[in-house]
Amino acid sequence: MNHHQTPSIPVVLSIGGFDPSSGAGITADLKTIAAHNCYAVAAVTALTLQNTRGVVSVRAIESTLLKQSAEALLADERVRAIKIGMLANRANAGIVGEILEGSATLPAVLDPVIRSTSGATLLDDPGVQYMRKHLLSRVRLVTPNIAEAAALTGMKVENVDGMKAAAQKLVEMGARAVVVTGGHLDKAVDILLDEGGYEVFAGEKVKPDNTHGTGCTFASAVAANLALGHQLREALVFAKAYVTEAIRKAYPVGPGRMPLNHLFRMQQPSRVTDRAPTVPEPVH
Ligand code: PLP
């Protein structure tokens, strides 16, 4: 086999939960990463049952299986960034801590998923404790939304000042860089705090019904941009622009909170367009 004919593309490892409605979790991550011209691989932490109306139930994957699957993917030595989402429980959070320790040179983005918008628990309390103590400090970036920032810090977070204070607290707790995403506010403002201080990223509120999995999508877009070699700030600007456009181009797929259109850049030719292949006459 000749490996030198085509340049390789960066591989991004997504560690998270499976959302069978493909709006959030690893299915959203795989689409997002592919939309950034990276190759996505995934280690599953949990199977969720859900649709656009919300999460029905959650079953965690056995932690030894999570460990083996992440290790097998990393053993290929092509992973250039790691994105972490739903972890389900303390055991799986602990495995992710070990994986991060063993892959310290790779940029990792942690979306500290705790609850779904519909109210389901996606990480148990001991898992949240572990995340506070051992995961925040082992990643390049943490991307809590307002509720997650409040849960991790124990602070009230209701506006931009609260977001800034929570970001500061997360840095004191060990995070290198934090983006608190404010998609749930009137204006979709995100606050970055890193070595360079605070930066406010103003955003547009586009379609409020198409926001299922926005946090997962944002974090995996940042991870893909880091895998492509962009600096953190640039990666954030690109990721926010991508998420905004994916919400704008979203289409209805159910009666509840709907997903983004992760693949808006890749509309395929359909049978009704003139770019569709013609079906040849059968040869007998
Ligand atoms: N399911 C999985 C597997 C997730 O990772 C998440 C969020 O990160 C959700 C569901 C909830 O997504 P949302 O709150 O956007 O509905």
Side-chain angles (χ1 to χ4, degrees), residues 119-181:
T121 299
L122 302 182
L123 180 61
D124 64 13
D125 288 342
V128 175
Q129 276 301 346
Y130 183 87
M131 184 183 271
R132 282 194 190 102
K133 272 196 170 163
H134 302 288
L135 295 185
L136 292 180
S137 57
R138 288 188 189 162
V139 295
R140 177 69 187 94
L141 176 72
V142 190
T143 62
N145 62 26
I146 285 179
E148 291 156 353
L152 287 170
T153 60
M155 297 165 77
K156 242 187 178 176
V157 185
E158 288 171 341
N159 51 32
V160 169
D161 286 344
M163 291 162 77
K164 285 186 170 173
Q168 174 63 36
K169 177 86 194 248
L170 288 164
V171 166
E172 286 163 15
M173 289 162 71
R176 264 179 81 187
V178 180
V179 173
V180 182
T181 59

Side-chain angles (χ1 to χ4, degrees), residues 62-278:
E62 205 186 308
S63 57
T64 50
L65 191 56
L66 169 64
K67 183 176 162 69
Q68 286 164 355
S69 61
E71 283 176 353
L73 294 165
L74 287 161
D76 269 345
E77 297 183 349
R78 291 291 186 281
V79 172
R80 293 291 169 266
I82 301 177
K83 184 264 172 173
I84 301 151
M86 173 186 175
L87 297 174
N89 58 28
R90 163 69 181 79
N92 285 349
I95 297 298
V96 169
E98 285 174 29
I99 291 164
L100 289 173
E101 204 164 29
S103 316
T105 55
L106 292 177
V109 178
L110 171 64
D111 180 20
V113 176
I114 299 173
R115 272 180 183 281
S116 72
T117 306
S118 57
T121 299
L122 302 182
L123 180 61
D124 64 13
D125 288 342
V128 175
Q129 276 301 346
Y130 183 87
M131 184 183 271
R132 282 194 190 102
K133 272 196 170 163
H134 302 288
L135 295 185
L136 292 180
S137 57
R138 288 188 189 162
V139 295
R140 177 69 187 94
L141 176 72
V142 190
T143 62
N145 62 26
I146 285 179
E148 291 156 353
L152 287 170
T153 60
M155 297 165 77
K156 242 187 178 176
V157 185
E158 288 171 341
N159 51 32
V160 169
D161 286 344
M163 291 162 77
K164 285 186 170 173
Q168 174 63 36
K169 177 86 194 248
L170 288 164
V171 166
E172 286 163 15
M173 289 162 71
R176 264 179 81 187
V178 180
V179 173
V180 182
T181 59
H184 298 80
L185 295 175
D186 292 344
K187 285 209 167 122
V189 175
D190 297 341
I191 304 292
L192 164 68
L193 178 59
D194 70 355
E195 303 86 356
Y198 288 109
E199 188 168 353
V200 178
F201 295 93
E204 287 170 74
K205 195 114 183 173
V206 200
K207 285 183 191 164
D209 292 336
N210 288 85
T211 53
H212 171 51
T214 318
C216 307
T217 303
F218 175 68
S220 45
V222 176
N225 278 303
L226 293 176
L228 289 166
H230 296 297
Q231 295 301 307
L232 183 65
R233 186 178 180 279
E234 217 175 15
L236 293 173
V237 171
F238 293 158
K240 189 164 174 72
Y242 168 78
V243 169
T244 306
E245 203 53 23
I247 297 173
R248 199 192 310 281
K249 301 261 171 69
Y251 38 74
V253 297
R257 277 176 66 248
M258 289 173 287
L260 288 59
N261 181 355
H262 299 99
L263 299 179
F264 68 87
R265 292 171 177 157
M266 301 181 182
Q267 294 309 329
Q268 301 296 319
S270 73
R271 290 181 54 186
V272 292
T273 69
D274 53 11
R275 289 193 296 147
T278 49

